Amino acid sequence: MIWETVRLAFTAIIRNKLRSFLTVLGVVIGVAAVIAMVTIGQGSSAQVEASVEALGTNVLIVRPGARGFGPSSGPPAPRFTTKDAEALAELSTVQYAAPVVSSSQTVVAGGANTTSQVYGTTADYLSVQNWALTGGRSFTEGEQKSGAALCILGQTVRSKLFGSADPLGETVRIKGLSCEVIGLLAVKGAGTFGQDQDEVVLMPARTVQRRLEGNQDVDSISVALRREVTAARGIAQVSEVLRERRRIGLGQTDNFSVTDMKEISSMLSGVSSVLTSLLSAVAAVSLLVGGIGIMNIMLVSVTERTREIGIRLAVGATSGQVLTQFLVEAVVLSVLGGVLGIVTGLGLAWVGTIFMAIPFAPSGAIVALAFGFSALVGVVFGYFPARNAARLDPIEALRHQ
Amino acid sequence: MTPPLIALRGVTRSYGTGEAQVRALDGVDLTITKGEFVAIMGPSGSGKSTTMNIIGCLDRPSSGEYLFQGTPVQGLSNDQRALLRRHALGFVFQGFNLLARTSALENVELPLIYKGLPREAREARARLALEKVGLQGREDHDPSQLSGGQQQRVAIARALAGDPTVILADEPTGNLDSHRSHEIMTLLQKLNRDEGITIVMVTHEDDIAAYAGRLLIFTDGKLTRDETITPRG
């Protein structure tokens, strides 16, 4: 008998194609909206997290000038020199210390040119930044000391100047200086603030100082602490040495700043968690809206079918049999809608992540939640109005218009 | 002595509560024996349809006693009443009440599904019932593809297929023209005579009531006349 009832349910679904379609559509929209929304949101969130990772976790940036925003009062703070970087590299808490001389320059090769950041630094910069080479080599100690005209290209600069050709051994001209390309950096992608980190040319610090800038200044020093060292201890030791080297007396304020990249990381993580909360709120609203849609279709459908319930009761169906049929119909339609909704939602999210160039990272929990909630709403609102109708005296159900 | 098929004792039915209470039936006593063809007449609001719905277990009396083959129906649960409808009663409504988008054959099969008959048996019985009402060849038609008279014959076949003791017909010709009406009445009369099915029918047309063998007249919720008549045809 139960199989007959299940068969009746399937017959009713097939017979009322439009109604079944609308019911399924309601569930599909609810489930798909939530899954697409949250999956894209989590992709953006993962993107932010990845940028945070890329900042490096045990890195200090040392800059001249007191910390703070806006114009500083008094004479400008003295610059660092490569000697300062070398001194920091000797410290017990420090693994690498790389001076960075930055300069914005037009880089020319053949007929092509592009404007790029040029960083004068040492081979240690790659270690601090955890940046690999995809081809060629880094600078040697001797080349750094002598200020050789060599450079390592970032991927954006490479593609703008050389297209798909191999630039190793070729020559680029920067401010009249011919440099041999000896290495290629791996792709780093967009930075935390959206800047293109691959639009960069690395050269020995001395080369940039003497041939491009014409001075001895170092703009900043990137310091990688040893793994076991806490940021606080590292900062304390670095500051102490720099105060000594810059002859800052007791009671005088530092004329340099030491920034722990972890602070920036935690700030960005904060942004990312706000983003996640926002998306959760959007998802909750989507679920609610989807749920109301499903509820409406189910209620309208059951109201419309009250007379059918009356007919079935009149010809001898028990209310239990009528209810089983409606329950099976509601479950089948909700589950079908849920499955189609998952497929549609993931598909939309996938297309969205491709357009937004963010990682596609669907979450099983959200898929399960969206499916579970919509299916529950579908079943509850398919079942309970039917239960009320089946409890009526048949004549009342039959009189229902 | 076998108990009568249908016995109503002091049955009342009220709708609403308090001041607004309407008494549709006001103490009806009525006995119907097996094999009768009873027509119920009366002005609208006289309680004729209410009586019929109570007999058909579609509605419940507010007070009084209803015995079906000696069993008090007012003490039965909803499911027991459903079983009584399933095994002993067949309905023909003024508005046909067929399932839409469902073929004539499947409509007739419906009560047989709830009776638990295997597929082949119920299809055979449904075909036979459609043949009895003269609808052979129309088994696969939807109600929307059939005329009013044909739809009502499908409804009669549905009532008949369950092999009922009683067929309850509530204005079965109310939506039909006079030619179709007489066809339907001839059919009901034939079922009553050849198959021995008890028929209780509500109508407000004298020439339709004339097919019955007994006429009940209701006025203001009371049974005011009960007479045996000579059926026409």
Side-chain angles (χ1 to χ4, degrees):
Chain A
M1 189 60 226
I2 183 75
W3 289 115
E4 282 300 340
T5 310
V6 170
R7 213 179 61 83
L8 278 177
F10 276 92
T11 312
I13 289 171
I14 294 161
R15 202 163 276 151
N16 301 290
K17 287 191 183 65
L18 181 64
R19 187 172 65 206
S20 306
F21 169 75
L22 288 176
T23 310
V24 169
L25 188 68
V27 182
V28 167
I29 290 173
V31 172
V34 173
I35 291 178
M37 201 72 88
V38 174
T39 304
I40 289 177
Q42 284 178 334
S44 322
S45 199
Q47 171 80 355
V48 173
E49 305 260 325
S51 322
V52 167
E53 289 285 300
L55 283 175
T57 46
N58 221 6
V59 173
L60 305 180
I61 306 287
V62 183
R63 287 177 215 278
R67 197 167 195 179
F69 296 98
S72 52
S73 54
R79 301 268 142 180
F80 292 117
T81 63
T82 44
K83 292 268 184 295
D84 290 318
E86 281 161 21
L88 293 181
E90 300 295 313
L91 295 177
S92 62
T93 56
V94 173
Q95 182 138 34
Y96 304 108
V100 177
V101 184
S102 53
S103 172
S104 183
Q105 297 289 348
T106 302
V107 185
V108 185
N113 69 78
T114 180
T115 300
S116 167
Q117 280 295 313
V118 176
Y119 289 153
T121 185
T122 65
D124 284 344
Y125 182 74
L126 297 178
S127 308
V128 174
Q129 293 286 321
N130 198 13
W131 207 341
L133 292 176
T134 53
R137 61 177 182 88
S138 187
F139 315 117
T140 65
E141 193 108 347
E143 287 162 351
Q144 284 163 194
K145 283 232 163 68
S146 63
L150 303 172
C151 62
I152 301 173
L153 301 185
Q155 287 295 339
T156 305
V157 175
R158 180 200 63 83
S159 68
K160 281 185 177 167
L161 295 182
F162 296 98
S164 53
D166 180 10
L168 290 178
E170 299 290 328
T171 302
V172 297
R173 269 178 301 117
I174 302 172
K175 213 177 174 183
L177 174 68
S178 292
C179 302
E180 189 195 344
V181 179
I182 60 164
L184 270 177
L185 290 166
V187 174
K188 195 141 201 182
T192 313
F193 304 103
Q195 78 277 25
D196 183 358
Q197 299 182 102
D198 295 314
E199 188 143 64
V200 69
V201 177
L202 301 186
M203 295 173 76
R206 192 168 167 79
T207 317
V208 177
Q209 285 171 333
R210 282 177 50 187
R211 312 289 283 273
L212 301 181
E213 298 286 301
N215 59 35
Q216 298 286 311
D217 294 348
V218 166
D219 293 304
S220 66
I221 303 172
S222 291
V223 177
L225 296 175
R226 288 187 188 279
R227 195 169 287 279
E228 68 279 4
V229 172
T230 63
R233 227 185 99 212
I235 291 170
Q237 200 182 26
V238 166
S239 301
E240 191 192 322
V241 169
L242 288 176
R243 282 174 73 88
E244 205 173 291
R245 289 182 65 85
R246 293 163 80 86
R247 299 200 172 77
I248 299 168
L250 271 166
Q252 284 182 278
T253 51
D254 293 348
N255 58 3
F256 61 91
S257 69
V258 181
T259 309
D260 179 6
M261 293 309 277
K262 255 192 199 140
E263 288 174 32
I264 295 180
S265 301
S266 63
M267 185 188 88
L268 287 171
S269 302
V271 170
S272 155
S273 81
V274 168
L275 189 67
T276 307
S277 321
L278 181 72
L279 283 160
S280 309
V282 170
V285 172
S286 309
L287 264 184
L288 192 68
V289 170
I292 290 170
I294 297 163
M295 194 172 87
N296 270 335
I297 301 250
M298 282 298 188
L299 285 178
V300 167
S301 151
V302 170
T303 309
E304 175 193 296
R305 297 181 72 184
T306 301
R307 218 166 64 90
E308 176 190 334
I309 291 175
I311 294 173
R312 292 183 184 276
L313 291 174
V315 301
T318 60
S319 47
Q321 288 170 328
V322 171
L323 275 184
T324 309
Q325 180 196 330
F326 274 70
L327 185 62
V328 171
E329 281 185 43
V331 168
V332 168
L333 293 177
S334 301
V335 168
L336 182 66
V339 170
L340 290 177
I342 290 174
V343 173
T344 313
L346 290 180
L348 286 175
W350 184 67
V351 172
T353 52
I354 284 177
F355 273 105
M356 294 165 71
I358 55 176
F360 174 64
S363 136
I366 285 301
V367 169
L369 178 72
F371 179 84
F373 182 81
S374 305
L376 185 73
V377 171
V379 169
V380 165
F381 285 92
Y383 180 77
F384 284 94
R387 191 185 65 160
N388 291 342
R391 279 179 175 178
L392 294 174
D393 277 321
I395 194 65
E396 287 182 58
L398 280 172
R399 278 193 192 125
H400 191 94
Q401 286 309 312
Chain B
M1 190 192 123
T2 52
L5 183 63
I6 291 164
L8 303 184
R9 302 273 174 265
V11 166
T12 68
R13 180 70 173 99
S14 319
Y15 297 100
T17 49
E19 295 279 303
Q21 196 176 56
V22 177
R23 191 159 260 219
L25 278 189
D26 191 6
V28 172
D29 296 299
L30 172 64
T31 304
I32 295 169
T33 50
K34 199 168 177 335
E36 279 192 281
F37 188 161
V38 181
I40 303 178
M41 293 190 75
S44 57
S46 62
K48 55 187 193 300
S49 284
T50 306
T51 308
M52 170 96 144
N53 293 332
I54 286 174
I55 293 173
C57 296
L58 298 175
D59 199 356
R60 275 176 288 195
S62 302
S63 67
E65 207 177 22
Y66 169 24
L67 302 170
F68 187 86
Q69 291 180 324
T71 310
V73 172
Q74 72 272 14
L76 298 181
S77 69
N78 275 351
D79 281 358
Q80 286 170 318
R81 280 146 34 93
L83 292 181
L84 183 59
R85 288 194 295 272
R86 183 185 297 176
H87 293 292
L89 305 174
F91 294 93
V92 179
F93 300 97
Q94 179 180 7
F96 317 139
N97 278 336
L98 298 174
L99 290 184
R101 296 178 289 275
T102 303
S103 73
L105 187 67
E106 285 172 293
N107 262 298
V108 177
E109 275 186 56
L110 194 62
L112 304 177
I113 292 176
Y114 293 116
K115 273 192 156 183
L117 257 68
R119 197 179 192 146
E120 296 76 25
R122 66 178 191 243
E123 204 183 304
R125 261 171 81 171
R127 281 184 191 283
L128 185 67
L130 282 169
E131 204 181 301
K132 278 183 189 166
V133 300
L135 280 181
Q136 58 271 49
R138 304 290 169 108
E139 289 88 348
D140 298 327
H141 288 49
D142 275 6
S144 59
Q145 298 168 307
L146 296 171
S147 71
Q150 288 170 329
Q151 288 186 53
Q152 195 59 297
R153 281 192 277 165
V154 173
I156 293 172
R158 181 178 66 189
L160 195 59
D163 196 16
T165 315
V166 185
I167 287 182
L168 297 154
D170 191 356
E171 303 209 28
T173 61
N175 284 353
L176 302 178
D177 63 42
S178 95
H179 181 64
R180 304 287 163 214
S181 297
H182 290 290
E183 274 181 17
I184 293 293
M185 289 319 299
T186 312
L187 178 60
L188 287 175
Q189 203 173 45
K190 186 166 171 288
L191 293 175
N192 172 250
R193 285 176 182 165
D194 299 354
E195 320 245 341
I197 299 171
T198 308
I199 296 180
V200 180
M201 172 183 74
V202 165
T203 184
H204 58 262
E205 292 168 76
D206 292 327
D207 57 337
I208 297 299
Y211 284 89
R214 182 178 171 193
L215 179 65
L216 306 177
I217 299 196
F218 277 74
T219 318
D220 295 334
K222 291 191 168 75
L223 177 60
T224 48
R225 237 168 81 194
D226 180 354
E227 59 192 27
T228 306
I229 57 174
T230 311
R232 73 180 259 189

